[in-house]
Amino acid sequence: MTLPPAPAAQPSLDVQTRASLREHNTFGLPAVARTLVRIKTEADVRRVVDHPEYGVARKFVLGGGSNVVLTHDLEDVVLKVEIAGRRLVDETPEAWIVEAGAGESWHGVVAWTLQQGWPGLENLALIPGSTGAAPVQNIGAYGVELKDRFHSLDAIDLVTGRSVTLGPAECRFGYRDSVFKHTGFGGLAGKSVITRVRFRLPKPWQPLLGYLDLERKMAETGNHAPDANTVFDWVCAIRRAKLPDPAVIGNAGSFFKNPVVTEEQCRDIIGRDPEIVHYPMPDGTVKLAAGWLIDACGWKGKTVGRAGVYEKQALVLVNRGGASGAEVVTLARAIQESVYGRFGIRLEPEPIIV
């Protein structure tokens, strides 16, 4: 009698208990996860959902840790998303459709698309973090937001384990905002894990050069018709000159959103501060440079405890060494009060404060 083959052993979850999160957040803030699960495949997400303990526990989804301020240890089950993979899904006369795993480095994906001859993401070069986090934050820089290049994404429901595909409308993109940042009815924060993201890179390619720093690069180089690789190099150079490398100085990039005001509010501020950096928006509102507002209040280079304001860019808060999340939050609140006191404008943090 021939016995049937034994069923193949199911891969087990990669679980760490009492895991330090210091190296998993770009601010380098101290925090400990009671349970950390490394998510390398879609199947890992379903194993978490089906797990007798983890399935019913609260969960915190962590990508590259570049958009989070950790103020305490986490009792939630931390899902560290490390899903890899990059591919061309489709090519039409109008666009390339490109897909990347949520755990891929965002900057790595941008560089790879250009190497393949698929331009369109170059203005978003050198933004730290993972690809799966990019739609959560609706990242943006130098005149381009992720929603401008977004096609769709795959996510897994953390209650049912079912896969869903969401388009732009379902993601409810806003300025540094999406459905994935909201709790409560209709919000998906903590309720799903993004596994793969697809981008639509339009043909024919056209450079977007409307920001002052890029205009300066054109003037400096005399190149007024740069190709995509040149724009990529310019953006990288601009960001490196202004922003600290998280591997050297802990930070989460731009800490505050650029506030948007009415034309009337802007005229009032210009009347008092003619030098304010501002950008008219298509809908008639005006975006103000938060870094300029903070600098005007005298914060550039200042330190509170072990957290400080970066000397080259007032929009960036940094870890001077050994800072806690509470110190970062204290500094951020002091800046908010200062800017409100002078300009009557409330700055909103970009990172998620946990």
Side-chain angles (χ1 to χ4, degrees):
M1 177 179 175
T2 304
L3 294 174
Q10 291 295 313
S12 59
L13 288 169
D14 184 345
V15 180
Q16 294 174 263
T17 57
R18 301 295 301 165
S20 171
L21 297 177
R22 190 189 294 272
E23 65 184 39
H24 297 311
N25 74 97
T26 60
F27 243 121
L29 300 173
V32 172
R34 182 180 180 184
T35 306
L36 183 143
V37 183
R38 294 181 180 273
I39 302 295
K40 300 182 185 298
T41 65
E42 287 87 342
D44 285 342
V45 183
R46 296 190 178 92
R47 290 186 189 102
V48 169
V49 173
D50 293 338
H51 193 278
E53 180 184 349
Y54 307 151
V56 296
R58 282 172 51 105
K59 300 168 189 69
F60 181 79
V61 180
L62 183 63
S66 63
N67 194 48
V68 64
V69 177
L70 298 173
T71 63
H72 57 79
D73 294 343
L74 297 183
E75 293 298 311
D76 302 10
V77 174
V78 176
L79 305 182
K80 180 72 175 68
V81 180
E82 299 176 352
I83 297 171
R86 302 183 297 206
R87 68 186 181 112
L88 179 67
V89 175
D90 192 18
E91 181 177 357
T92 71
E94 290 77 35
W96 297 276
I97 309 299
V98 178
E99 179 185 89
E104 292 279 352
S105 151
W106 171 254
H107 178 68
V109 168
V110 174
W112 171 75
T113 56
L114 289 171
Q115 290 162 6
Q116 304 305 311
W118 310 323
L121 298 177
E122 55 283 338
N123 290 52
L124 302 176
L126 217 62
I127 294 177
S130 65
T131 297
V136 174
Q137 180 73 356
N138 186 23
I139 59 172
Y142 301 104
V144 178
E145 288 187 318
L146 180 109
K147 69 179 178 62
D148 302 325
R149 299 289 182 263
F150 181 78
H151 179 275
S152 58
L153 62 78
D154 296 335
I156 296 179
D157 187 296
L158 284 172
V159 175
T160 65
R162 287 200 296 263
S163 295
V164 294
T165 298
L166 303 181
E170 293 93 339
C171 290
R172 301 210 310 263
F173 291 122
Y175 174 49
R176 302 297 175 269
D177 195 24
S178 74
V179 70
F180 297 99
K181 291 185 76 171
H182 294 270
T183 57
F185 181 76
L188 293 179
K191 299 176 184 176
S192 63
V193 175
I194 295 170
T195 56
R196 301 192 182 275
V197 186
R198 285 171 291 279
F199 310 96
R200 183 183 185 277
L201 308 181
K203 302 177 184 179
W205 173 82
Q206 290 184 322
L208 290 167
L209 303 166
Y211 258 62
L212 181 61
D213 286 329
L214 293 174
E215 291 172 354
R216 284 177 179 151
K217 284 291 184 185
M218 286 190 288
E220 287 170 11
T221 62
N223 183 354
H224 293 271
D227 60 17
N229 284 290
T230 300
V231 175
F232 172 88
D233 291 339
W234 286 355
V235 168
C236 290
I238 292 164
R239 291 185 70 90
R240 288 190 176 112
K242 282 186 174 185
L243 305 173
D245 182 348
V248 179
I249 304 173
N251 73 93
S254 300
F255 197 90
F256 295 103
K257 299 178 184 179
N258 290 319
V260 177
V261 300
T262 65
E263 280 188 273
E264 184 180 5
Q265 286 174 299
C266 186
R267 280 196 300 271
D268 180 58
I269 295 171
I270 290 172
R272 290 179 282 123
D273 291 276
E275 301 298 316
I276 188 168
V277 178
H278 59 286
Y279 304 96
M281 305 298 285
D283 63 0
T285 60
V286 181
K287 184 184 291 185
L288 306 180
W292 188 95
L293 299 172
I294 298 165
D295 192 11
C297 292
W299 280 101
K300 187 184 283 186
K302 295 290 180 65
T303 299
V304 172
R306 291 164 292 183
V309 181
Y310 191 51
E311 292 79 1
K312 296 181 182 179
Q313 170 54 272
L315 195 53
V316 178
L317 306 191
V318 297
N319 183 347
R320 299 285 191 204
S324 67
E327 286 175 310
V328 173
V329 172
T330 297
L331 173 61
R333 287 176 178 161
I335 291 170
Q336 287 172 306
E337 290 172 12
S338 182
V339 169
Y340 183 76
R342 175 166 173 180
F343 297 102
I345 292 171
R346 294 201 181 276
L347 295 180
E348 290 183 52
E350 277 197 28
I352 298 165
I353 297 172
V354 180

